[in-house]
Amino acid sequence: MRFFFVIPFIFIGAFLIGLTINNFGDRGNFMIDTIGYGFILVAILIGRKKKENNSLPKIVLTNKDDVR
């Protein structure tokens, strides 16, 4: 489900990084690139979230001889 959010963020970020508008000047293009890198960073952070598996109970085995 999270990939439905990640893929558009990557596309928008790549579009903004590749976009160059001469009327904006150097500072404007730098801001557009920064926003594009931000979109890609957010996509990476969303895509890297680990999914917890709570369907199986955790079994704790204890051994009296096992001293740590």
Side-chain angles (χ1 to χ4, degrees), residues 7-9 13-15 17-18 22 26 28 32 34 37 43 46 48 57-58 62-63 66:
I7 300 300
F9 272 91
F15 175 75
I17 291 170
N22 292 331
D26 290 336
I32 289 175
T34 305
Y37 286 121
I46 291 173
R48 288 192 60 166
K58 293 181 179 179
T62 58
N63 188 355
D66 186 20

Side-chain angles (χ1 to χ4, degrees), residues 18-60:
L19 184 65
T20 303
I21 299 174
N22 292 331
N23 293 338
F24 281 177
D26 290 336
R27 280 187 260 164
N29 287 326
F30 175 75
M31 289 170 34
I32 289 175
D33 288 346
T34 305
I35 294 169
Y37 286 121
F39 269 95
I40 290 179
L41 179 66
V42 168
I44 290 170
L45 293 176
I46 291 173
R48 288 192 60 166
K49 284 185 183 177
K50 291 187 178 181
K51 188 175 183 181
E52 293 183 13
N53 189 359
N54 293 331
S55 62
L56 297 175
K58 293 181 179 179
I59 300 172
V60 178

